[in-house]
């Protein structure tokens, strides 16, 4: 009887033991998968936080001017880009903006420059903001020299979300007379220089059409119409220091409202 009991116990052990390695293997695999998942999630969170920190550091380092408040900002590196590639990059960003109604995204432009002996080695690079006059010079625009010299460095290129994504530009000046005369002179090539940035097609008849004086929302504006009579480009002097170029008067209204905010945004 004793031998019989021992044989039963041995048989039972033999039946259980083949499954034990399988159970251990399953536990190891499960633990590995859990650890891998946690690690991947942790890395993704760390990478996102690092990217957000890098964006914030870049914006602080570049001292991006805030002529008006913008709910979002996006930088475009135009180092060594041709005017056509810049236009494609800007129009692509305009199309991709996905914000709430009446929100604005600011697009700022930067480029690489060589370091100096006082800061960086000559072979090292540092990014700086591109000024308004330099930006249009890079585009090989027809902006008159008198206007380029009258412009302040600050350039605000924005996208206003209203009835689609509406692009606009804000320029600043401390020389109203020169800027005013320069804008009138620039009208001869303004459509050809600006509309491609806005993602609009420039036809041969459009570039020879004259601008008109109009009053919209009690503001004096200069507008350009297409053959169908639709407004395709507007500009105005909001005051003696601020020029707004846009395609829609609703966008101009929003920009002016933000310029006049009592909280000081854009002052």
């Amino acid at each position: 009887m004793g031998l019989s009991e021992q044989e039963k116990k041995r048989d039972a052990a033999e039946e259980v033991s083949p499954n034990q390695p399988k159970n251990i293997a399953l536990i190891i695999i499960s633990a590995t998968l859990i650890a891998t998942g946690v690690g991947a999630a942790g890395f993704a969170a760390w990478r996102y936080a690092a990217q957000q920190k890098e964006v914030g550091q870049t914006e602080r380092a570049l001292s991006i001017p805030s002529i008006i408040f913008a709910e979002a900002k996006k930088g475009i590196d135009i180092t060594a880009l041709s005017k056509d590639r810049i236009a494609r990059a800007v129009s692509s960003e305009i199309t991709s903006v996905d914000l709430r109604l009446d929100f604005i995204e600011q697009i700022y432009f930067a480029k690489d420059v060589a370091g100096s002996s006082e800061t960086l080695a000559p072979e090292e690079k540092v990014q700086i903001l591109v000024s308004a006059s330099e930006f249009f010079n890079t585009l090989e625009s027809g902006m008159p020299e008198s206007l380029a010299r009258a412009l302040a460095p600050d350039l605000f290129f924005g996208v206003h979300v209203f009835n689609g994504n509406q692009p606009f530009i804000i320029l600043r000046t401390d020389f109203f007379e020169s800027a005013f005369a320069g804008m009138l002179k620039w009208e001869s090539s303004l459509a050809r220089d600006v509309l491609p940035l806005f993602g609009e097609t420039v036809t041969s008849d459009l570039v020879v059409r004259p601008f008109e004086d109009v009053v919209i929302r009690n503001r004096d504006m200069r507008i350009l119409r297409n053959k169908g009579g639709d407004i395709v480009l507007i500009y105005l002097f909001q005051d003696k220091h601020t020029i707004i170029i846009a395609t829609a008067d609703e966008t101009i209204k929003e920009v002016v409202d933000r310029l006049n905010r009592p909280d000081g945004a854009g002052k």
Side-chain angles (χ1 to χ4, degrees):
M1 290 179 62
L3 290 173
S4 176
E5 288 297 326
Q6 289 179 359
E7 289 178 355
K8 288 180 181 180
K9 290 179 180 180
R10 186 172 61 251
D11 292 341
E14 289 176 352
E15 290 177 359
V16 173
S17 59
N19 293 329
Q20 288 177 343
K22 295 181 182 178
N23 293 336
I24 294 173
L26 287 173
I27 293 172
I28 293 173
I29 292 172
S30 299
T32 302
L33 290 174
I34 292 172
T36 302
V38 171
F43 176 78
W46 171 83
R47 182 60 180 165
Y48 176 78
Q51 288 175 340
Q52 294 301 106
K53 183 179 180 181
E54 183 179 347
V55 169
Q57 289 174 340
T58 300
E59 291 182 357
R60 288 192 296 273
L62 291 175
S63 299
I64 300 168
S66 296
I67 298 177
I68 61 172
F69 173 74
E71 282 80 8
K73 293 183 180 182
K74 175 64 180 291
I76 295 180
D77 187 344
I78 65 171
T79 305
L81 292 186
S82 66
K83 64 177 183 178
D84 292 334
R85 290 182 63 188
I86 293 173
R88 287 196 295 270
V90 175
S91 59
S92 175
E93 178 59 27
I94 291 171
T95 303
S96 65
V97 170
D98 185 17
L99 296 174
R100 288 173 51 186
L101 184 67
D102 257 347
F103 275 22
I104 285 177
E105 176 181 288
Q106 178 182 1
I107 302 174
Y108 61 91
F109 305 97
K111 69 172 185 176
D112 291 338
V113 295
S116 68
S117 58
E118 298 176 356
T119 55
L120 299 172
E123 65 274 10
E124 293 183 288
K125 302 292 183 181
V126 63
Q127 280 216 324
I128 63 171
L129 281 180
V130 176
S131 68
S133 59
E134 184 180 6
F135 177 70
F136 286 103
N137 183 58
T138 303
L139 293 175
E140 301 175 13
S141 75
M143 176 184 283
E145 281 293 326
S146 59
L147 176 59
R149 290 193 299 267
L151 292 180
D154 296 352
L155 167 66
F156 193 106
F157 194 112
V159 182
H160 174 225
V161 180
F162 188 93
N163 192 24
N165 294 343
Q166 306 295 338
F168 65 93
I169 297 170
I170 305 176
L171 303 172
R172 303 283 283 178
T173 180
D174 288 326
F175 304 96
F176 171 72
E177 290 78 9
S178 296
F180 185 82
M183 285 299 300
L184 290 175
K185 189 175 180 180
W186 195 18
E187 287 182 1
S188 62
S189 65
L190 187 58
R192 185 172 60 248
D193 295 338
V194 171
L195 288 179
L197 291 173
F198 290 174
E200 301 292 338
T201 302
V202 181
T203 58
S204 58
D205 67 290
L206 189 62
V207 296
V208 298
R209 297 182 69 84
F211 277 74
E212 310 169 21
D213 279 319
V214 297
V215 176
I216 301 177
R217 303 181 191 272
N218 296 320
R219 297 185 183 91
D220 294 324
M221 304 184 189
R222 296 281 289 173
I223 65 168
L224 179 66
R225 300 181 187 271
N226 60 20
K227 286 193 302 184
D230 299 320
I231 297 175
V232 295
L233 200 57
I234 311 171
Y235 81 84
L236 77 154
F237 279 80
Q238 163 60 14
D239 52 43
K240 289 190 175 183
H241 303 286
T242 310
I243 307 166
I244 305 171
I245 304 172
T247 57
D249 65 292
E250 294 89 352
T251 296
I252 289 178
K253 178 182 181 301
E254 179 64 24
V255 171
V256 170
D257 287 345
R258 294 193 183 210
L259 284 167
N260 294 331
R261 278 183 177 176
D263 59 5
K267 301 295 184 184

